Amino acid sequence: MSDQTVNKLEEILQEMREASDKKTAANLELDVWDSIIKKLNSFSPKCDACSEYIIELEGYLSELMNRMRDSVEIDFKQHKAKTDDLRSHLSSKHDIKTNGYYMSIFMSIGMGIGMLFGTTIFDNIGLGLAFGVGIGIAIGAGLDEDAKKKGKML
């Protein structure tokens, strides 16, 4: 994909940051969109779907910016659906995970194992749960950091 298109998308995102208040910017997840655009651009030479998404995003973000300029209400549900669609493509086709993905999975696994050990070994479910969650968070955070270093994280 041409760098000119990606630069235009980044300029639109910057304009949206400047034109919106903090609450709107948080609801629009503009930082996540910046990361999504960069990932789509990096995969676009090999992935036709990524190239199509970038072309589609140019029109979508321009329309969204025009809505913000004209003070027209933004449909956050539609925007969230668009974000989820892009995230699911990056996750399923390119193995890109969202921030905190591994931590949430391993925290849940740690809770289960902690409850098991808490009832059988410690005879105190609370103690086992605390150890399990702590270990799960530590493993998950380590895997999240590793994925971020490898460029596999949004």
Side-chain angles (χ1 to χ4, degrees):
M1 191 86 281
S2 72
D3 288 331
Q4 183 180 4
T5 305
V6 173
N7 289 338
K8 183 176 181 184
L9 291 173
E10 289 175 351
E11 287 174 13
I12 293 171
L13 282 177
Q14 187 59 35
E15 283 181 49
M16 290 171 72
R17 278 189 194 95
E18 293 168 0
S20 63
D21 58 359
K22 288 186 178 187
K23 183 179 178 187
T24 305
N27 284 338
L28 291 174
E29 299 179 295
L30 297 178
D31 293 334
V32 172
W33 275 80
D34 193 37
S35 179
I36 287 173
I37 289 169
K38 288 177 182 171
K39 292 293 182 188
L40 287 173
N41 185 43
S42 69
F43 292 119
S44 64
K46 299 174 189 170
C47 177
D48 293 334
C50 288
S51 299
E52 291 173 16
Y53 276 128
I54 288 177
I55 293 168
E56 184 181 317
L57 283 180
E58 188 173 6
Y60 176 74
L61 290 178
S62 295
E63 178 187 335
L64 196 60
M65 185 62 209
N66 290 336
R67 286 177 154 278
M68 289 177 71
R69 280 190 198 127
D70 299 338
S71 299
V72 177
E73 187 174 331
I74 297 170
D75 185 6
F76 290 112
K77 284 185 179 181
Q78 177 191 12
H79 185 73
K80 178 89 170 118
K82 186 74 164 172
T83 305
D84 290 344
D85 182 38
L86 293 169
R87 282 181 177 159
S88 68
H89 170 73
L90 289 171
S91 179
S92 65
K93 301 294 184 204
H94 305 293
D95 199 33
I96 302 294
K97 304 299 181 197
T98 57
N99 195 16
Y101 174 80
Y102 293 108
M103 187 169 61
S104 64
I105 289 176
F106 280 92
M107 184 173 64
S108 301
I109 292 170
M111 283 171 50
I113 293 172
M115 287 176 60
L116 176 69
F117 284 136
T119 55
T120 58
I121 295 174
F122 301 127
D123 286 332
N124 185 344
I125 196 167
L127 184 61
L129 190 62
F131 279 125
V133 168
I135 291 170
I137 288 175
I139 292 170
L143 288 174
D144 278 340
E145 191 63 34
D146 185 48
K148 189 177 277 188
K149 286 179 184 175
K150 291 180 179 178
K152 295 283 189 178
M153 186 78 59
L154 274 182

